[in-house]
Amino acid sequence: MGDEVVYQVELDIFSGRPNPVWSLNAAEAAEFAQRLGDGTVPVVPVNVDSGQLGYRGYIMTATGHDADELRRQGKATTFRVHAHMAQAGYDLAAEEFLLGALERSDGVSEAEAGVLSEAVRWDLEESHPEVASAAAACSLLYTSWNDFSFWNGSRRPNNNCYNYAANYASNTFAQPGRQGGGTFTQMTAANIKAAMHRDGWRLDCIGGNLRVALVIWPGVDYHFYRQNLNGSTVRWCHKPGQTAARNTDNSGRYITNPQTCDRGNYTTWGGAHVFSNGVRSRTVR
């Protein structure tokens, strides 16, 4: 297809600001064209959208030889890529590929690409019907959302939000990755979750699965919430540092959704995930 092949990519995500726009490099354009040819890209007309706040897919515009080929096939040269909107399956691979192109792009700053990447990855992983179905199939481990006596006595000053998320009091102010041989190196959701996996957390369901959520104070700190149950009422709870475990947000309200609760400076949403509790049976350092 030659060097003239260009795909312009618009990440449809913002409401007030113009969306980020960049171009695929030659290798990326060739791979995307191959994916289109294989029929593995979830394509919908550009004017079809969810209307939701946040991630609404990618708007792709073909130019050069690819545009000519699409016209020859009677297809649009501008279209939306979004598995949620497509009629034929929910393959996320093409969107993951385009997200990788965003992270490599020179057209979007590294800082903004990091923030956008975390937002899109949450949507791809958390909002996708197949992921939600898999999470629902997990047997979850709950503790009480209003009895924190285990955490708020002598254990309170030496256990943090990560201890609480793991439901294990190591009395060492546990850090993601330390047990696994290396703590996180960047204050990003992807880096911290990779450190969790080194500690023994798993994304597949085994015994003792925990529903936890990660948020980031950009460049400064991380924080975890854990979902608990009393009877049929679900609340999210957390333990901010050395302070007491609780079931309320910064505004003193019960936490029914950690994504929308008052989190103060922890403005970056890292996603809510079901993790199998692989660290409960050993010390978290």
Side-chain angles (χ1 to χ4, degrees):
M1 287 178 288
D3 294 334
E4 297 179 27
V5 177
V6 175
Y7 278 94
Q8 178 181 281
V9 187
E10 178 180 343
L11 174 59
D12 191 8
I13 193 167
F14 289 151
S15 175
R17 298 170 53 197
N19 286 321
V21 177
W22 72 99
S23 294
L24 299 184
N25 63 37
E28 292 167 341
E31 180 172 346
F32 184 75
Q34 181 64 53
R35 290 172 181 267
L36 272 179
D38 293 343
T40 59
V41 178
V43 173
V44 292
V46 69
N47 61 346
V48 174
D49 63 75
S50 62
Q52 69 181 27
L53 286 174
Y55 175 65
R56 297 176 293 271
Y58 300 87
I59 297 173
M60 307 294 297
T61 301
T63 64
H65 294 304
D66 263 29
D68 293 340
E69 179 62 19
L70 289 171
R71 291 189 193 100
R72 188 186 67 78
Q73 297 174 21
K75 297 179 180 179
T77 58
T78 299
F79 50 88
R80 186 181 300 274
V81 174
H82 195 3
H84 294 323
M85 307 302 299
Q87 298 298 313
Y90 291 95
D91 186 356
L92 301 179
E95 287 168 277
E96 289 280 5
F97 167 74
L98 292 171
L99 185 59
L102 165 67
E103 294 166 343
R104 294 185 296 268
S105 170
D106 294 331
V108 180
S109 73
E110 183 177 352
E112 182 165 49
V115 172
L116 293 172
S117 176
E118 290 182 4
V120 174
R121 286 193 190 283
W122 176 83
D123 188 277
L124 293 178
E125 296 169 3
E126 183 67 11
S127 299
H128 193 275
E130 293 177 355
V131 175
S133 176
C138 289
S139 174
L140 295 179
L141 173 68
Y142 294 116
T143 60
S144 171
W145 57 256
N146 63 4
D147 181 0
F148 301 108
S149 55
F150 176 85
W151 294 97
N152 292 347
S154 61
R155 299 178 183 88
R156 181 184 58 77
N158 298 314
N159 293 281
N160 62 359
C161 65
Y162 188 47
N163 287 110
Y164 186 81
N167 196 37
Y168 195 93
S170 65
N171 297 311
T172 58
F173 227 67
Q175 296 299 308
R178 188 191 296 168
Q179 172 69 27
T183 58
F184 57 93
T185 55
Q186 294 179 317
M187 195 61 67
T188 66
N191 206 269
I192 291 172
K193 283 187 279 192
M196 293 172 69
H197 295 165
R198 291 195 293 274
D199 280 344
W201 295 77
R202 299 158 53 103
L203 284 171
D204 53 326
C205 296
I206 58 174
N209 302 290
L210 299 167
R211 182 80 163 169
V212 301
L214 170 65
V215 296
I216 306 289
W217 180 351
V220 179
D221 194 21
Y222 65 87
H223 185 61
F224 286 97
Y225 299 86
R226 176 160 58 86
Q227 192 178 53
N228 287 320
L229 182 72
N230 280 12
S232 60
T233 304
V234 173
R235 297 278 188 267
W236 289 79
C237 306
H238 59 138
K239 185 180 184 301
Q242 299 178 358
T243 70
R246 66 199 68 196
N247 53 27
T248 53
D249 66 8
N250 273 21
S251 296
R253 296 186 292 255
Y254 283 137
I255 305 171
T256 57
N257 184 348
Q259 187 180 9
T260 57
C261 73
D262 183 352
R263 307 195 306 263
N265 290 322
Y266 293 79
T267 54
T268 298
W269 173 246
H273 298 272
V274 171
F275 285 105
S276 61
N277 194 5
V279 295
R280 286 185 69 241
S281 61
R282 60 178 183 268
T283 301
V284 182
R285 295 201 298 266

